[in-house]
């Protein structure tokens, strides 16, 4: 492999990784939004157990989103 080929391969892999991170962030945001809406719905129905479970899901995906952002930052640092 030439240096150009290695560079092109690395750039292509970095682009795929960036696309995957964007997809993951979108999914995390969608799940978190749905869970937060479910909390409101279950609260309105006075179903505390399901509201708590939905809140836990929202919290879990909020933390996952933070971890994804940290990973993205690490990957950007590595690329430099």
């Amino acid at each position: 492999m030439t240096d150009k080929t290695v560079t092109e391969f690395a750039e292509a892999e970095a682009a795929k990784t960036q696309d995957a991170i964007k997809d993951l962030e979108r999914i995390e945001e969608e799940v978190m939004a749905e869970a937060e809406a479910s909390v409101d719905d279950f609260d309105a129905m006075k179903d505390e157990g399901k509201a708590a479970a939905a809140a836990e899901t929202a919290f879990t995906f909020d933390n996952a989103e933070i971890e994804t952002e940290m990973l993205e930052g690490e990957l950007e640092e590595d690329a430099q």
Side-chain angles (χ1 to χ4, degrees):
M1 276 188 160
T2 66
D3 286 342
K4 182 179 177 185
T5 304
V6 171
T7 301
E8 289 172 350
F9 176 77
E11 289 172 353
E13 290 302 304
K16 288 179 190 176
T17 300
Q18 194 63 22
D19 288 344
I21 288 172
K22 287 178 185 174
D23 287 342
L24 183 57
E25 288 173 336
R26 179 186 50 78
I27 291 167
E28 290 166 346
E29 289 171 7
E30 289 175 3
V31 171
M32 196 167 57
E34 184 66 32
E36 289 171 347
S38 294
V39 170
D40 294 338
D41 292 343
F42 291 129
D43 277 344
M45 292 186 279
K46 308 257 189 265
D47 191 333
E48 292 176 12
K50 288 182 181 176
E56 183 178 352
T57 299
F59 179 76
T60 299
F61 276 85
D62 187 39
N63 285 336
E65 189 173 30
I66 291 167
E67 290 178 24
T68 300
E69 290 169 0
M70 290 171 51
L71 175 62
E72 183 177 21
E74 290 173 13
L75 291 172
E76 288 173 1
E77 286 178 12
D78 289 346
Q80 295 176 359

